[in-house]
C-alpha cells in the first residue's frame, strides 16, 4: 500500500510555489494540512503530520526529525538592492519571528550571507522514495512560479512574482553552514537534528 503523506505548512505568498507543486505534480499524492505556524509545529511533533515546513529556530526541538529536500525558504544575500530584504513583508505570518531584538530569527536581518528561515523536515523513518517524490513536487512548483501566484489569489500578481524572485529556495551548503552556526550559537550542546 502506497503511503499518502500528511504535509503541514502555512499557506501564504512565500509558500505558494511549494503548495502548487504538491497539489499539481502528477506523480505525487499528499494530504495538505494548512494552518498557522504553531499548529504546523504541533502537528509535526504529535505525528499528525509526516512532513512539515517549519521556521528554522524550532528544528532542534522537534521530535524524531530530520531535514529533507534540497529546498527551503531563504535569502542569498546577493541582492543588488541593498535596501531589500524579502522577509520584510507586512503580510508574512513568519514576520513575528524576525520582529524585535529578542525575536528568534532577528539576527538574520543584519546578515549579508545566505540564510534560510524555513526548512522542510520529515520523520526519520520516512521512505526515501516518498522524500524523492516530494522533491520532484517542489521542483515542479518552482518551475510554475507565476501559475502558483495566480492560483494562490495574490492581489497583485506582478508584485508577488517580483517578491518571489528575491527569495532563494535552494538549501545549499552555505545556508547549511549559516544554519548550523545559528543552531549552536549560545549553546554547548550538539545539534539533535541534521540534514538527511
Amino acid at each position: 500500500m502506497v503511503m499518502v503523506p500528511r504535509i503541514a505548512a502555512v499557506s501564504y505568498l512565500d509558500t505558494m510555489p511549494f503548495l502548487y507543486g504538491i497539489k499539481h505534480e502528477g506523480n505525487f499524492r499528499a494530504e495538505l494540512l494548512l494552518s498557522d505556524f504553531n499548529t504546523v509545529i504541533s502537528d509535526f511533533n504529535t505525528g499528525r503530520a509526516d512532513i512539515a515546513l517549519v521556521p528554522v529556530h524550532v528544528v532542534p526541538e522537534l521530535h524524531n526529525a530530520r531535514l529533507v529536500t534540497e529546498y527551503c525558504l531563504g535569502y542569498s544575500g546577493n541582492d543588488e538592492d541593498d535596501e531589500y530584504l524579502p522577509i520584510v513583508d507586512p503580510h508574512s505570518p513568519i514576520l513575528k519571528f524576525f520582529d524585535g531584538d529578542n525575536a528568534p530569527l532577528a539576527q538574520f536581518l543584519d546578515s549579508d550571507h545566505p540564510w534560510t528561515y524555513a526548512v522542510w523536515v520529515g520523520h526519520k523513518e520516512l521512505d526515501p522514495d516518498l522524500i524523492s517524490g516530494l522533491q520532484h513536487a517542489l521542483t515542479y512548483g518552482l518551475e510554475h512560479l507565476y501559475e502558483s501566484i495566480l492560483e494562490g489569489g495574490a492581489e497583485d500578481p506582478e508584485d508577488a512574482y517580483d517578491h518571489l524572485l528575491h527569495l532563494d529556495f535552494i538549501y545549499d551548503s552555505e545556508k547549511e553552514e549559516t544554519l548550523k552556526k545559528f543552531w549552536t550559537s549560545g549553546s554547548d550542546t550538539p545539534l539533535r537534528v541534521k540534514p538527511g
Side-chain angles (χ1 to χ4, degrees), residues 53-108:
L53 181 63
V54 298
V56 296
H57 69 282
V58 305
V59 172
E61 304 305 319
L62 296 177
H63 307 306
N64 188 33
R66 66 183 173 104
L67 270 65
V68 295
T69 86
E70 298 171 3
Y71 292 119
C72 67
L73 295 177
Y75 179 59
S76 69
N78 297 319
D79 202 295
E80 293 179 2
D81 182 358
D82 291 335
E83 298 295 318
Y84 183 83
L85 278 173
I87 196 62
V88 183
D89 175 354
H91 304 294
S92 172
I94 205 169
L95 183 61
K96 65 180 180 179
F97 300 126
F98 289 82
D99 190 19
D101 293 338
N102 295 322
L105 304 182
Q107 69 188 64
F108 283 137

Side-chain angles (χ1 to χ4, degrees), residues 90-155:
H91 304 294
S92 172
I94 205 169
L95 183 61
K96 65 180 180 179
F97 300 126
F98 289 82
D99 190 19
D101 293 338
N102 295 322
L105 304 182
Q107 69 188 64
F108 283 137
L109 290 180
D110 296 322
S111 174
D112 292 329
H113 306 295
W115 46 269
T116 179
Y117 52 95
V119 290
W120 289 99
V121 294
H123 292 289
K124 291 179 180 178
E125 67 275 5
L126 285 178
D127 188 328
D129 288 341
L130 191 153
I131 300 301
S132 177
L134 174 62
Q135 176 80 17
H136 287 297
L138 301 181
T139 300
Y140 182 88
L142 292 174
E143 290 172 346
H144 294 81
L145 207 63
Y146 200 73
E147 293 94 326
S148 76
I149 291 168
L150 295 178
E151 180 175 284
E155 291 183 12

Side-chain angles (χ1 to χ4, degrees), residues 16-32:
M16 282 181 185
F18 289 152
L19 300 181
Y20 184 90
I22 291 169
K23 292 175 185 176
H24 295 288
E25 202 283 326
N27 297 313
F28 186 71
R29 291 179 54 218
E31 177 186 351
L32 276 171

Side-chain angles (χ1 to χ4, degrees), residues 14 43 49 85 135-136 144 162 179 182:
D14 294 4
D43 282 349
L85 278 173
Q135 176 80 17
H136 287 297
H144 294 81
D162 183 62
L179 196 50
F182 168 71

